Each structure stands twice: as structure tokens, then as C-alpha cells.
Amino acid sequence: MKWVKIAIELPQEDFVKLIKLEGKKICLVKHQQKFYAMQNTCPHAGGILSGGWCKSGNIVCPIHRYEYNLETGKGAEGQRDYIDVYPVEEKADGIYVGLKEGLWERFFS
């Protein structure tokens, strides 16, 4: 796991926002003062999750209103799908997102 610091200024209030880390588009959410990171594309129809909103601890896709749990990535009942979620850590010097390292990176970086 590679921890990458978010190098942009983040709002104080809750938000849903697209960020780029290590060339990867990630949907970053601040909901009830806690940060969550997940894939930015909805697996159902390719909607952009960073264009959605939060509802009852879920991110809601703006296209067909599919919902995914912010912590587990599991789709709402009956959806039978999920999104990838990434661990987030708040440290004294900023917010970090944990990204999987590819095999090449682990051996040659």
C-alpha cells in the first residue's frame, strides 16, 4: 500500500469532489466530518460519482441514483454491485489516501 498525500486545499464543510492522485481519478467525500475515497465511476452505467451527493452514508450516482456505502463500497439492497473504496488517514500534516501499488512499482521504485 502506498500512502499519497492530498496536495490541494479542501473545504471545511462536507463535500463530494474529484481529485487526482498518482494519475488516478478518485471521488473524495467529506461526510459528517469524516473523509472517504472511492473510485470515481459508477459500475452500473459509468456515471461520475464525484457529480453525485451523499445520502444516509451512501454516495449517490447522478445518472440512475444507484447508491454505494461510503465505508464498504457495497451497493444498496438489490443492486448486487460495489465500488472500490480506498483507506483514508488524517495526519497532522494532511489527509492521505492508500493506493495499491502495482507489481512493477513494488520491485522497481
mmCIF file with all atom_site columns, all heavy atoms in Angstrom, residues 30-57:
data_model
loop_
_atom_site.group_PDB
_atom_site.id
_atom_site.type_symbol
_atom_site.label_atom_id
_atom_site.label_alt_id
_atom_site.label_comp_id
_atom_site.label_asym_id
_atom_site.label_entity_id
_atom_site.label_seq_id
_atom_site.pdbx_PDB_ins_code
_atom_site.Cartn_x
_atom_site.Cartn_y
_atom_site.Cartn_z
_atom_site.occupancy
_atom_site.B_iso_or_equiv
_atom_site.pdbx_formal_charge
_atom_site.auth_seq_id
_atom_site.auth_comp_id
_atom_site.auth_asym_id
_atom_site.auth_atom_id
_atom_site.pdbx_PDB_model_num
ATOM 1   N N   . LYS A 1 30 ? -16.303 14.203 1.951   1.00 0.00 ? 30 LYS A N   1
ATOM 2   C CA  . LYS A 1 30 ? -16.282 14.538 3.369   1.00 0.00 ? 30 LYS A CA  1
ATOM 3   C C   . LYS A 1 30 ? -17.743 14.551 3.798   1.00 0.00 ? 30 LYS A C   1
ATOM 4   O O   . LYS A 1 30 ? -18.552 15.332 3.281   1.00 0.00 ? 30 LYS A O   1
ATOM 5   C CB  . LYS A 1 30 ? -15.642 15.894 3.625   1.00 0.00 ? 30 LYS A CB  1
ATOM 6   C CG  . LYS A 1 30 ? -15.514 16.220 5.108   1.00 0.00 ? 30 LYS A CG  1
ATOM 7   C CD  . LYS A 1 30 ? -14.800 17.542 5.309   1.00 0.00 ? 30 LYS A CD  1
ATOM 8   C CE  . LYS A 1 30 ? -14.648 17.861 6.783   1.00 0.00 ? 30 LYS A CE  1
ATOM 9   N NZ  . LYS A 1 30 ? -14.061 19.208 6.964   1.00 0.00 ? 30 LYS A NZ  1
ATOM 10  N N   . HIS A 1 31 ? -18.089 13.625 4.676   1.00 0.00 ? 31 HIS A N   1
ATOM 11  C CA  . HIS A 1 31 ? -19.471 13.466 5.124   1.00 0.00 ? 31 HIS A CA  1
ATOM 12  C C   . HIS A 1 31 ? -19.475 13.349 6.643   1.00 0.00 ? 31 HIS A C   1
ATOM 13  O O   . HIS A 1 31 ? -18.808 12.476 7.197   1.00 0.00 ? 31 HIS A O   1
ATOM 14  C CB  . HIS A 1 31 ? -20.077 12.211 4.489   1.00 0.00 ? 31 HIS A CB  1
ATOM 15  C CG  . HIS A 1 31 ? -21.481 11.930 4.889   1.00 0.00 ? 31 HIS A CG  1
ATOM 16  N ND1 . HIS A 1 31 ? -22.531 12.751 4.546   1.00 0.00 ? 31 HIS A ND1 1
ATOM 17  C CD2 . HIS A 1 31 ? -22.012 10.913 5.594   1.00 0.00 ? 31 HIS A CD2 1
ATOM 18  C CE1 . HIS A 1 31 ? -23.647 12.246 5.027   1.00 0.00 ? 31 HIS A CE1 1
ATOM 19  N NE2 . HIS A 1 31 ? -23.354 11.128 5.676   1.00 0.00 ? 31 HIS A NE2 1
ATOM 20  N N   . GLN A 1 32 ? -20.177 14.235 7.295   1.00 0.00 ? 32 GLN A N   1
ATOM 21  C CA  . GLN A 1 32 ? -20.250 14.280 8.759   1.00 0.00 ? 32 GLN A CA  1
ATOM 22  C C   . GLN A 1 32 ? -18.852 14.306 9.378   1.00 0.00 ? 32 GLN A C   1
ATOM 23  O O   . GLN A 1 32 ? -18.529 13.533 10.264  1.00 0.00 ? 32 GLN A O   1
ATOM 24  C CB  . GLN A 1 32 ? -21.089 13.123 9.288   1.00 0.00 ? 32 GLN A CB  1
ATOM 25  C CG  . GLN A 1 32 ? -22.529 13.197 8.840   1.00 0.00 ? 32 GLN A CG  1
ATOM 26  C CD  . GLN A 1 32 ? -23.384 12.069 9.354   1.00 0.00 ? 32 GLN A CD  1
ATOM 27  O OE1 . GLN A 1 32 ? -22.881 11.039 9.813   1.00 0.00 ? 32 GLN A OE1 1
ATOM 28  N NE2 . GLN A 1 32 ? -24.690 12.251 9.282   1.00 0.00 ? 32 GLN A NE2 1
ATOM 29  N N   . GLN A 1 33 ? -17.998 15.176 8.821   1.00 0.00 ? 33 GLN A N   1
ATOM 30  C CA  . GLN A 1 33 ? -16.637 15.448 9.295   1.00 0.00 ? 33 GLN A CA  1
ATOM 31  C C   . GLN A 1 33 ? -15.669 14.274 9.135   1.00 0.00 ? 33 GLN A C   1
ATOM 32  O O   . GLN A 1 33 ? -14.598 14.248 9.735   1.00 0.00 ? 33 GLN A O   1
ATOM 33  C CB  . GLN A 1 33 ? -16.657 15.920 10.749  1.00 0.00 ? 33 GLN A CB  1
ATOM 34  C CG  . GLN A 1 33 ? -17.483 17.173 10.972  1.00 0.00 ? 33 GLN A CG  1
ATOM 35  C CD  . GLN A 1 33 ? -17.024 18.329 10.083  1.00 0.00 ? 33 GLN A CD  1
ATOM 36  O OE1 . GLN A 1 33 ? -15.849 18.656 10.041  1.00 0.00 ? 33 GLN A OE1 1
ATOM 37  N NE2 . GLN A 1 33 ? -17.946 18.931 9.354   1.00 0.00 ? 33 GLN A NE2 1
ATOM 38  N N   . LYS A 1 34 ? -16.002 13.275 8.310   1.00 0.00 ? 34 LYS A N   1
ATOM 39  C CA  . LYS A 1 34 ? -15.111 12.151 8.048   1.00 0.00 ? 34 LYS A CA  1
ATOM 40  C C   . LYS A 1 34 ? -14.849 12.071 6.547   1.00 0.00 ? 34 LYS A C   1
ATOM 41  O O   . LYS A 1 34 ? -15.737 12.339 5.740   1.00 0.00 ? 34 LYS A O   1
ATOM 42  C CB  . LYS A 1 34 ? -15.737 10.842 8.555   1.00 0.00 ? 34 LYS A CB  1
ATOM 43  C CG  . LYS A 1 34 ? -14.809 9.672  8.461   1.00 0.00 ? 34 LYS A CG  1
ATOM 44  C CD  . LYS A 1 34 ? -15.370 8.433  9.135   1.00 0.00 ? 34 LYS A CD  1
ATOM 45  C CE  . LYS A 1 34 ? -14.391 7.287  8.950   1.00 0.00 ? 34 LYS A CE  1
ATOM 46  N NZ  . LYS A 1 34 ? -14.910 6.026  9.411   1.00 0.00 ? 34 LYS A NZ  1
ATOM 47  N N   . PHE A 1 35 ? -13.610 11.690 6.172   1.00 0.00 ? 35 PHE A N   1
ATOM 48  C CA  . PHE A 1 35 ? -13.217 11.592 4.769   1.00 0.00 ? 35 PHE A CA  1
ATOM 49  C C   . PHE A 1 35 ? -13.343 10.160 4.256   1.00 0.00 ? 35 PHE A C   1
ATOM 50  O O   . PHE A 1 35 ? -13.041 9.202  4.974   1.00 0.00 ? 35 PHE A O   1
ATOM 51  C CB  . PHE A 1 35 ? -11.766 12.052 4.591   1.00 0.00 ? 35 PHE A CB  1
ATOM 52  C CG  . PHE A 1 35 ? -11.591 13.525 4.786   1.00 0.00 ? 35 PHE A CG  1
ATOM 53  C CD1 . PHE A 1 35 ? -11.196 14.031 6.012   1.00 0.00 ? 35 PHE A CD1 1
ATOM 54  C CD2 . PHE A 1 35 ? -11.816 14.410 3.748   1.00 0.00 ? 35 PHE A CD2 1
ATOM 55  C CE1 . PHE A 1 35 ? -11.033 15.390 6.205   1.00 0.00 ? 35 PHE A CE1 1
ATOM 56  C CE2 . PHE A 1 35 ? -11.652 15.777 3.922   1.00 0.00 ? 35 PHE A CE2 1
ATOM 57  C CZ  . PHE A 1 35 ? -11.259 16.260 5.164   1.00 0.00 ? 35 PHE A CZ  1
ATOM 58  N N   . TYR A 1 36 ? -13.756 10.041 2.985   1.00 0.00 ? 36 TYR A N   1
ATOM 59  C CA  . TYR A 1 36 ? -13.876 8.759  2.293   1.00 0.00 ? 36 TYR A CA  1
ATOM 60  C C   . TYR A 1 36 ? -13.327 8.930  0.880   1.00 0.00 ? 36 TYR A C   1
ATOM 61  O O   . TYR A 1 36 ? -13.476 9.988  0.274   1.00 0.00 ? 36 TYR A O   1
ATOM 62  C CB  . TYR A 1 36 ? -15.343 8.332  2.192   1.00 0.00 ? 36 TYR A CB  1
ATOM 63  C CG  . TYR A 1 36 ? -16.052 8.231  3.509   1.00 0.00 ? 36 TYR A CG  1
ATOM 64  C CD1 . TYR A 1 36 ? -16.718 9.327  4.045   1.00 0.00 ? 36 TYR A CD1 1
ATOM 65  C CD2 . TYR A 1 36 ? -16.050 7.040  4.229   1.00 0.00 ? 36 TYR A CD2 1
ATOM 66  C CE1 . TYR A 1 36 ? -17.371 9.236  5.261   1.00 0.00 ? 36 TYR A CE1 1
ATOM 67  C CE2 . TYR A 1 36 ? -16.710 6.952  5.449   1.00 0.00 ? 36 TYR A CE2 1
ATOM 68  C CZ  . TYR A 1 36 ? -17.361 8.051  5.963   1.00 0.00 ? 36 TYR A CZ  1
ATOM 69  O OH  . TYR A 1 36 ? -18.001 7.960  7.170   1.00 0.00 ? 36 TYR A OH  1
ATOM 70  N N   . ALA A 1 37 ? -12.713 7.874  0.350   1.00 0.00 ? 37 ALA A N   1
ATOM 71  C CA  . ALA A 1 37 ? -12.190 7.907  -1.022  1.00 0.00 ? 37 ALA A CA  1
ATOM 72  C C   . ALA A 1 37 ? -12.662 6.649  -1.744  1.00 0.00 ? 37 ALA A C   1
ATOM 73  O O   . ALA A 1 37 ? -12.684 5.558  -1.164  1.00 0.00 ? 37 ALA A O   1
ATOM 74  C CB  . ALA A 1 37 ? -10.667 7.975  -1.009  1.00 0.00 ? 37 ALA A CB  1
ATOM 75  N N   . MET A 1 38 ? -13.048 6.814  -3.010  1.00 0.00 ? 38 MET A N   1
ATOM 76  C CA  . MET A 1 38 ? -13.572 5.695  -3.784  1.00 0.00 ? 38 MET A CA  1
ATOM 77  C C   . MET A 1 38 ? -13.332 5.923  -5.262  1.00 0.00 ? 38 MET A C   1
ATOM 78  O O   . MET A 1 38 ? -12.961 7.019  -5.677  1.00 0.00 ? 38 MET A O   1
ATOM 79  C CB  . MET A 1 38 ? -15.071 5.531  -3.511  1.00 0.00 ? 38 MET A CB  1
ATOM 80  C CG  . MET A 1 38 ? -15.909 6.703  -3.958  1.00 0.00 ? 38 MET A CG  1
ATOM 81  S SD  . MET A 1 38 ? -17.312 7.088  -2.896  1.00 0.00 ? 38 MET A SD  1
ATOM 82  C CE  . MET A 1 38 ? -16.529 7.541  -1.381  1.00 0.00 ? 38 MET A CE  1
ATOM 83  N N   . GLN A 1 39 ? -13.571 4.864  -6.044  1.00 0.00 ? 39 GLN A N   1
ATOM 84  C CA  . GLN A 1 39 ? -13.461 5.014  -7.494  1.00 0.00 ? 39 GLN A CA  1
ATOM 85  C C   . GLN A 1 39 ? -14.446 6.080  -7.934  1.00 0.00 ? 39 GLN A C   1
ATOM 86  O O   . GLN A 1 39 ? -15.465 6.325  -7.278  1.00 0.00 ? 39 GLN A O   1
ATOM 87  C CB  . GLN A 1 39 ? -13.727 3.688  -8.198  1.00 0.00 ? 39 GLN A CB  1
ATOM 88  C CG  . GLN A 1 39 ? -15.182 3.243  -8.168  1.00 0.00 ? 39 GLN A CG  1
ATOM 89  C CD  . GLN A 1 39 ? -15.373 1.880  -8.800  1.00 0.00 ? 39 GLN A CD  1
ATOM 90  O OE1 . GLN A 1 39 ? -14.704 0.925  -8.421  1.00 0.00 ? 39 GLN A OE1 1
ATOM 91  N NE2 . GLN A 1 39 ? -16.277 1.782  -9.771  1.00 0.00 ? 39 GLN A NE2 1
ATOM 92  N N   . ASN A 1 40 ? -14.161 6.732  -9.044  1.00 0.00 ? 40 ASN A N   1
ATOM 93  C CA  . ASN A 1 40 ? -14.993 7.846  -9.486  1.00 0.00 ? 40 ASN A CA  1
ATOM 94  C C   . ASN A 1 40 ? -16.074 7.441  -10.476 1.00 0.00 ? 40 ASN A C   1
ATOM 95  O O   . ASN A 1 40 ? -16.956 8.220  -10.782 1.00 0.00 ? 40 ASN A O   1
ATOM 96  C CB  . ASN A 1 40 ? -14.124 8.955  -10.093 1.00 0.00 ? 40 ASN A CB  1
ATOM 97  C CG  . ASN A 1 40 ? -14.875 10.251 -10.256 1.00 0.00 ? 40 ASN A CG  1
ATOM 98  O OD1 . ASN A 1 40 ? -15.578 10.687 -9.349  1.00 0.00 ? 40 ASN A OD1 1
ATOM 99  N ND2 . ASN A 1 40 ? -14.758 10.864 -11.413 1.00 0.00 ? 40 ASN A ND2 1
ATOM 100 N N   . THR A 1 41 ? -16.045 6.212  -10.974 1.00 0.00 ? 41 THR A N   1
ATOM 101 C CA  . THR A 1 41 ? -17.004 5.775  -11.986 1.00 0.00 ? 41 THR A CA  1
ATOM 102 C C   . THR A 1 41 ? -17.979 4.759  -11.407 1.00 0.00 ? 41 THR A C   1
ATOM 103 O O   . THR A 1 41 ? -17.578 3.776  -10.793 1.00 0.00 ? 41 THR A O   1
ATOM 104 C CB  . THR A 1 41 ? -16.264 5.138  -13.180 1.00 0.00 ? 41 THR A CB  1
ATOM 105 O OG1 . THR A 1 41 ? -15.285 6.055  -13.647 1.00 0.00 ? 41 THR A OG1 1
ATOM 106 C CG2 . THR A 1 41 ? -17.220 4.813  -14.309 1.00 0.00 ? 41 THR A CG2 1
ATOM 107 N N   . CYS A 1 42 ? -19.251 4.990  -11.621 1.00 0.00 ? 42 CYS A N   1
ATOM 108 C CA  . CYS A 1 42 ? -20.292 4.058  -11.188 1.00 0.00 ? 42 CYS A CA  1
ATOM 109 C C   . CYS A 1 42 ? -20.238 2.812  -12.068 1.00 0.00 ? 42 CYS A C   1
ATOM 110 O O   . CYS A 1 42 ? -20.221 2.929  -13.299 1.00 0.00 ? 42 CYS A O   1
ATOM 111 C CB  . CYS A 1 42 ? -21.662 4.732  -11.295 1.00 0.00 ? 42 CYS A CB  1
ATOM 112 S SG  . CYS A 1 42 ? -23.039 3.651  -10.856 1.00 0.00 ? 42 CYS A SG  1
ATOM 113 N N   . PRO A 1 43 ? -20.228 1.612  -11.479 1.00 0.00 ? 43 PRO A N   1
ATOM 114 C CA  . PRO A 1 43 ? -20.149 0.394  -12.282 1.00 0.00 ? 43 PRO A CA  1
ATOM 115 C C   . PRO A 1 43 ? -21.445 0.094  -13.042 1.00 0.00 ? 43 PRO A C   1
ATOM 116 O O   . PRO A 1 43 ? -21.430 -0.679 -13.992 1.00 0.00 ? 43 PRO A O   1
ATOM 117 C CB  . PRO A 1 43 ? -19.861 -0.700 -11.251 1.00 0.00 ? 43 PRO A CB  1
ATOM 118 C CG  . PRO A 1 43 ? -20.399 -0.171 -9.977  1.00 0.00 ? 43 PRO A CG  1
ATOM 119 C CD  . PRO A 1 43 ? -20.207 1.324  -10.043 1.00 0.00 ? 43 PRO A CD  1
ATOM 120 N N   . HIS A 1 44 ? -22.535 0.720  -12.678 1.00 0.00 ? 44 HIS A N   1
ATOM 121 C CA  . HIS A 1 44 ? -23.817 0.439  -13.320 1.00 0.00 ? 44 HIS A CA  1
ATOM 122 C C   . HIS A 1 44 ? -23.887 0.988  -14.738 1.00 0.00 ? 44 HIS A C   1
ATOM 123 O O   . HIS A 1 44 ? -24.132 0.253  -15.684 1.00 0.00 ? 44 HIS A O   1
ATOM 124 C CB  . HIS A 1 44 ? -24.969 0.998  -12.480 1.00 0.00 ? 44 HIS A CB  1
ATOM 125 C CG  . HIS A 1 44 ? -26.289 0.965  -13.181 1.00 0.00 ? 44 HIS A CG  1
ATOM 126 N ND1 . HIS A 1 44 ? -26.947 2.106  -13.559 1.00 0.00 ? 44 HIS A ND1 1
ATOM 127 C CD2 . HIS A 1 44 ? -27.040 -0.065 -13.612 1.00 0.00 ? 44 HIS A CD2 1
ATOM 128 C CE1 . HIS A 1 44 ? -28.070 1.769  -14.174 1.00 0.00 ? 44 HIS A CE1 1
ATOM 129 N NE2 . HIS A 1 44 ? -28.151 0.458  -14.225 1.00 0.00 ? 44 HIS A NE2 1
ATOM 130 N N   . ALA A 1 45 ? -23.647 2.301  -14.890 1.00 0.00 ? 45 ALA A N   1
ATOM 131 C CA  . ALA A 1 45 ? -23.780 2.899  -16.214 1.00 0.00 ? 45 ALA A CA  1
ATOM 132 C C   . ALA A 1 45 ? -22.675 3.909  -16.512 1.00 0.00 ? 45 ALA A C   1
ATOM 133 O O   . ALA A 1 45 ? -22.799 4.726  -17.410 1.00 0.00 ? 45 ALA A O   1
ATOM 134 C CB  . ALA A 1 45 ? -25.143 3.573  -16.349 1.00 0.00 ? 45 ALA A CB  1
ATOM 135 N N   . GLY A 1 46 ? -21.605 3.887  -15.719 1.00 0.00 ? 46 GLY A N   1
ATOM 136 C CA  . GLY A 1 46 ? -20.462 4.757  -15.983 1.00 0.00 ? 46 GLY A CA  1
ATOM 137 C C   . GLY A 1 46 ? -20.634 6.189  -15.522 1.00 0.00 ? 46 GLY A C   1
ATOM 138 O O   . GLY A 1 46 ? -19.879 7.064  -15.940 1.00 0.00 ? 46 GLY A O   1
ATOM 139 N N   . GLY A 1 47 ? -21.612 6.443  -14.668 1.00 0.00 ? 47 GLY A N   1
ATOM 140 C CA  . GLY A 1 47 ? -21.806 7.793  -14.138 1.00 0.00 ? 47 GLY A CA  1
ATOM 141 C C   . GLY A 1 47 ? -20.599 8.246  -13.326 1.00 0.00 ? 47 GLY A C   1
ATOM 142 O O   . GLY A 1 47 ? -19.848 7.431  -12.787 1.00 0.00 ? 47 GLY A O   1
ATOM 143 N N   . ILE A 1 48 ? -20.419 9.544  -13.232 1.00 0.00 ? 48 ILE A N   1
ATOM 144 C CA  . ILE A 1 48 ? -19.301 10.123 -12.488 1.00 0.00 ? 48 ILE A CA  1
ATOM 145 C C   . ILE A 1 48 ? -19.762 10.379 -11.056 1.00 0.00 ? 48 ILE A C   1
ATOM 146 O O   . ILE A 1 48 ? -20.573 11.274 -10.805 1.00 0.00 ? 48 ILE A O   1
ATOM 147 C CB  . ILE A 1 48 ? -18.809 11.424 -13.158 1.00 0.00 ? 48 ILE A CB  1
ATOM 148 C CG1 . ILE A 1 48 ? -18.443 11.164 -14.622 1.00 0.00 ? 48 ILE A CG1 1
ATOM 149 C CG2 . ILE A 1 48 ? -17.652 12.032 -12.387 1.00 0.00 ? 48 ILE A CG2 1
ATOM 150 C CD1 . ILE A 1 48 ? -17.358 10.133 -14.825 1.00 0.00 ? 48 ILE A CD1 1
ATOM 151 N N   . LEU A 1 49 ? -19.260 9.582  -10.124 1.00 0.00 ? 49 LEU A N   1
ATOM 152 C CA  . LEU A 1 49 ? -19.714 9.670  -8.729  1.00 0.00 ? 49 LEU A CA  1
ATOM 153 C C   . LEU A 1 49 ? -19.405 11.016 -8.098  1.00 0.00 ? 49 LEU A C   1
ATOM 154 O O   . LEU A 1 49 ? -20.147 11.484 -7.227  1.00 0.00 ? 49 LEU A O   1
ATOM 155 C CB  . LEU A 1 49 ? -19.123 8.528  -7.908  1.00 0.00 ? 49 LEU A CB  1
ATOM 156 C CG  . LEU A 1 49 ? -19.613 7.127  -8.306  1.00 0.00 ? 49 LEU A CG  1
ATOM 157 C CD1 . LEU A 1 49 ? -18.878 6.055  -7.505  1.00 0.00 ? 49 LEU A CD1 1
ATOM 158 C CD2 . LEU A 1 49 ? -21.112 6.996  -8.135  1.00 0.00 ? 49 LEU A CD2 1
ATOM 159 N N   . SER A 1 50 ? -18.317 11.678 -8.527  1.00 0.00 ? 50 SER A N   1
ATOM 160 C CA  . SER A 1 50 ? -17.995 12.988 -7.951  1.00 0.00 ? 50 SER A CA  1
ATOM 161 C C   . SER A 1 50 ? -19.017 14.051 -8.359  1.00 0.00 ? 50 SER A C   1
ATOM 162 O O   . SER A 1 50 ? -19.023 15.144 -7.817  1.00 0.00 ? 50 SER A O   1
ATOM 163 C CB  . SER A 1 50 ? -16.584 13.421 -8.332  1.00 0.00 ? 50 SER A CB  1
ATOM 164 O OG  . SER A 1 50 ? -16.436 13.484 -9.733  1.00 0.00 ? 50 SER A OG  1
ATOM 165 N N   . GLY A 1 51 ? -19.907 13.723 -9.280  1.00 0.00 ? 51 GLY A N   1
ATOM 166 C CA  . GLY A 1 51 ? -21.005 14.603 -9.650  1.00 0.00 ? 51 GLY A CA  1
ATOM 167 C C   . GLY A 1 51 ? -22.265 14.300 -8.853  1.00 0.00 ? 51 GLY A C   1
ATOM 168 O O   . GLY A 1 51 ? -23.297 14.935 -9.039  1.00 0.00 ? 51 GLY A O   1
ATOM 169 N N   . GLY A 1 52 ? -22.169 13.330 -7.946  1.00 0.00 ? 52 GLY A N   1
ATOM 170 C CA  . GLY A 1 52 ? -23.314 12.909 -7.138  1.00 0.00 ? 52 GLY A CA  1
ATOM 171 C C   . GLY A 1 52 ? -23.365 13.600 -5.786  1.00 0.00 ? 52 GLY A C   1
ATOM 172 O O   . GLY A 1 52 ? -22.789 14.661 -5.595  1.00 0.00 ? 52 GLY A O   1
ATOM 173 N N   . TRP A 1 53 ? -24.020 12.978 -4.836  1.00 0.00 ? 53 TRP A N   1
ATOM 174 C CA  . TRP A 1 53 ? -24.191 13.546 -3.491  1.00 0.00 ? 53 TRP A CA  1
ATOM 175 C C   . TRP A 1 53 ? -24.275 12.421 -2.472  1.00 0.00 ? 53 TRP A C   1
ATOM 176 O O   . TRP A 1 53 ? -24.369 11.253 -2.818  1.00 0.00 ? 53 TRP A O   1
ATOM 177 C CB  . TRP A 1 53 ? -25.459 14.417 -3.439  1.00 0.00 ? 53 TRP A CB  1
ATOM 178 C CG  . TRP A 1 53 ? -26.715 13.671 -3.759  1.00 0.00 ? 53 TRP A CG  1
ATOM 179 C CD1 . TRP A 1 53 ? -27.553 13.031 -2.887  1.00 0.00 ? 53 TRP A CD1 1
ATOM 180 C CD2 . TRP A 1 53 ? -27.272 13.448 -5.056  1.00 0.00 ? 53 TRP A CD2 1
ATOM 181 N NE1 . TRP A 1 53 ? -28.584 12.442 -3.557  1.00 0.00 ? 53 TRP A NE1 1
ATOM 182 C CE2 . TRP A 1 53 ? -28.446 12.685 -4.892  1.00 0.00 ? 53 TRP A CE2 1
ATOM 183 C CE3 . TRP A 1 53 ? -26.897 13.827 -6.337  1.00 0.00 ? 53 TRP A CE3 1
ATOM 184 C CZ2 . TRP A 1 53 ? -29.245 12.293 -5.947  1.00 0.00 ? 53 TRP A CZ2 1
ATOM 185 C CZ3 . TRP A 1 53 ? -27.706 13.423 -7.410  1.00 0.00 ? 53 TRP A CZ3 1
ATOM 186 C CH2 . TRP A 1 53 ? -28.852 12.682 -7.200  1.00 0.00 ? 53 TRP A CH2 1
ATOM 187 N N   . CYS A 1 54 ? -24.232 12.796 -1.196  1.00 0.00 ? 54 CYS A N   1
ATOM 188 C CA  . CYS A 1 54 ? -24.332 11.830 -0.099  1.00 0.00 ? 54 CYS A CA  1
ATOM 189 C C   . CYS A 1 54 ? -25.752 11.787 0.435   1.00 0.00 ? 54 CYS A C   1
ATOM 190 O O   . CYS A 1 54 ? -26.430 12.811 0.505   1.00 0.00 ? 54 CYS A O   1
ATOM 191 C CB  . CYS A 1 54 ? -23.390 12.206 1.042   1.00 0.00 ? 54 CYS A CB  1
ATOM 192 S SG  . CYS A 1 54 ? -21.690 11.865 0.656   1.00 0.00 ? 54 CYS A SG  1
ATOM 193 N N   . LYS A 1 55 ? -26.165 10.575 0.811   1.00 0.00 ? 55 LYS A N   1
ATOM 194 C CA  . LYS A 1 55 ? -27.481 10.377 1.402   1.00 0.00 ? 55 LYS A CA  1
ATOM 195 C C   . LYS A 1 55 ? -27.385 9.191  2.360   1.00 0.00 ? 55 LYS A C   1
ATOM 196 O O   . LYS A 1 55 ? -27.045 8.082  1.937   1.00 0.00 ? 55 LYS A O   1
ATOM 197 C CB  . LYS A 1 55 ? -28.496 10.094 0.299   1.00 0.00 ? 55 LYS A CB  1
ATOM 198 C CG  . LYS A 1 55 ? -29.882 9.748  0.785   1.00 0.00 ? 55 LYS A CG  1
ATOM 199 C CD  . LYS A 1 55 ? -30.778 9.440  -0.403  1.00 0.00 ? 55 LYS A CD  1
ATOM 200 C CE  . LYS A 1 55 ? -31.807 8.419  -0.002  1.00 0.00 ? 55 LYS A CE  1
ATOM 201 N NZ  . LYS A 1 55 ? -32.536 7.896  -1.151  1.00 0.00 ? 55 LYS A NZ  1
ATOM 202 N N   . SER A 1 56 ? -27.599 9.437  3.630   1.00 0.00 ? 56 SER A N   1
ATOM 203 C CA  . SER A 1 56 ? -27.630 8.373  4.643   1.00 0.00 ? 56 SER A CA  1
ATOM 204 C C   . SER A 1 56 ? -26.400 7.481  4.615   1.00 0.00 ? 56 SER A C   1
ATOM 205 O O   . SER A 1 56 ? -26.498 6.257  4.661   1.00 0.00 ? 56 SER A O   1
ATOM 206 C CB  . SER A 1 56 ? -28.886 7.519  4.481   1.00 0.00 ? 56 SER A CB  1
ATOM 207 O OG  . SER A 1 56 ? -30.050 8.309  4.523   1.00 0.00 ? 56 SER A OG  1
ATOM 208 N N   . GLY A 1 57 ? -25.214 8.071  4.487   1.00 0.00 ? 57 GLY A N   1
ATOM 209 C CA  . GLY A 1 57 ? -23.969 7.302  4.493   1.00 0.00 ? 57 GLY A CA  1
ATOM 210 C C   . GLY A 1 57 ? -23.630 6.637  3.176   1.00 0.00 ? 57 GLY A C   1
ATOM 211 O O   . GLY A 1 57 ? -22.749 5.778  3.118   1.00 0.00 ? 57 GLY A O   1
#
